[in-house]
Amino acid sequence: MVAPLYTTDSGLLFHAGKILVVTIGLPARGKTHISRSLERYLRWMGVKTQVVSLGDYRRKTLGGAQKLPADYFHLGEKSPETIALRKKVSDGCEQQIWDFFKTGQVVIYDANNGTREARQKLAERFHKKGIHVIMLESVCDNKEIIEANIRSVKISSPDYRGWDSDKAVQDYYTRIRDHEEYYDPVEEKDWPYIRIFNVGERIMVNNIKGYLQSRIVFFLMNIHNTPRTIYFARSGQSLIEHSYKADSDLSPPGWEYAERLKDFVLERRAKNLAGRGVEMGGKGDSGLMIWTSTRRRAHHTAWPFLQAAAASTSSMVTPAGSHLPTPGNATPINLNPSSISTLTSLTINTSVPHLTEAPMLYSKPRIKVIEKPQMSEINPGIWDGLTPDQARKYYPQDWERFVRDPYAFRAPRAESYHDLSVRLEPTLIELEREKQDLLIIGHASVIRCLLAYLIGLPASEIPAIEVARGDLLEVTPASYGVHCRAYHFWDGPGRVRDEGDFGKNKHEGVVGGEGIGSGEGKGDGEKAQAVVESMGGRGVVSEERTKGEGLMGLGGMMGGISLSTLPVEQQDSDSSSAGISRLGVDMGVGGIGEQKDANNFYENYAEDTKGKRKVDSFFAGNNLGRMEVPGSGVMRTREPEAGLSELLS
């Protein structure tokens, strides 16, 4: 999190005052997607931000559309009953805004606000109380974007529960046409405004002032709603694991891991594209982008992707004096710098050989690998190579300060997680801007920060997130947050902490988990249900699934997610997914999978503090006392000093 490590008496940052962002636009123009994305970014900056959604509040208060009068969505003449209901909803939303401004700084009012008269009155009421008002209009004339938004978001809402999808789309188009008759585009210059065309295609601003308002504009210039999947995986094991300074190559198990990662990612991506009706390498596939750090073990983990893409074509010429790696080859790769830069920025369109006996599920992937220096692992400084016990013994005073605030503390000649988050902010903006499917092959510390941003974890929990080598995370951005899945695809050295009892340890900590919770579920290959329990409560997540894929509870902005993961041999079986609780993996303080490197200080800290730490009061305050579960209308309370296990539900 890039927030300043201090608070002010008013609780406001950047001398920006309080800001009300009023969204404006016809239905299905991406206002909710823009609002939630902006909320996530501002919270990452440490700004107390909340989206107040008129639609969510109306569904929570009055129920779905089937319970409303026939003229409720008609903007012409209305019955007295309809007028009273609409006023009740708008007044309730406005009161929520006032309540949040007692402690918060930015509210994003997610509603149509289509008439000039109505939004003028709203803005004047808040302006008189010293609130800065910004009009944010989403203009969209791209019919493909509009219909995709209707089908992916609108008809899945409670308003259309039980409807035929085509009839629901037609009904929603009727609602849009009615709003078009009374819609006034933002042309008045009385208020600062931001006009976004086709969700990021073009942007127009007027009278934007100050640092925070400028950051809002900067962020909105980089967003889009193109469907994509973001994959996360650890880099392979290196020859010298315990040293930050040693930029060593992959070990033989590291090359084996890299090959398995390549196979599994391409298989998963082929299936995900097929779900969108797109063939990998065919029309509509924009390709796979791979980001790694400049450390050898990271970017060499991506080499099998290039090797596989190049293996079946004679049109690609391998640079003279170079060779591509093979699984189990521990010899450092001999490439001159110019050859490396050529290959790692090369876009390839060719067929991929499958190295196993399984049927070929993918062909002709377009792959591009980019090395990013900003994605280097966190620098442990003088603690490089130490275990927590050694750090406590040799540096007792520093250790005490670290335990009090592991996110902000910086050991001598080291980086803190706050430093790392600041370093990664340009990468986060590029992540928002990227339209292709993206695979991030990274170090655990980097993945912790990126996941915390996408999911909305409090900053104080970032150091305690575990990310195991051998797990693939799939994160799919959606209008109300992100959808996440975790898959276990590899077991080998470096994943478990006791090589002498591999079978016992490979899923250790999965069932129950100290301070984490447990998961259970059942399914018939068509539909599965996961019941996620934790110390803080119990929740049920039901989702249409096929063939026993991993299940998850959507955490959205709640500050955590719960994942259930199936091993690769069960992910595509035709058998039911009963017994999923035995393999469920909860992500939060406990992380994903189990791994312990005796010489890796930060990995040991994540393991040894599992379920034992409390959220720092400053960051608990900055992550809001009341949060809404995206799309559910349910408000949950987060108390200061609450542990993560008490926040998950």
Side-chain angles (χ1 to χ4, degrees), residues 229 231 266-285 361-362 437 549:
T229 302
Y231 303 91
L266 294 181
E267 289 175 7
R268 284 298 314 155
R269 185 166 181 269
K271 292 176 184 177
N272 290 337
L273 289 175
R276 302 182 208 162
V278 177
E279 180 184 358
M280 190 162 73
K283 185 178 180 181
D285 177 16
L361 298 175
Y362 52 86
D437 284 350
E549 290 182 336

Side-chain angles (χ1 to χ4, degrees), residues 397 399-407 613-614 616:
Q397 293 181 342
W399 174 261
E400 184 178 348
R401 294 171 57 198
F402 172 76
V403 170
R404 282 202 303 266
D405 192 351
Y407 173 77
R613 299 192 302 107
K614 293 182 179 294
D616 178 82

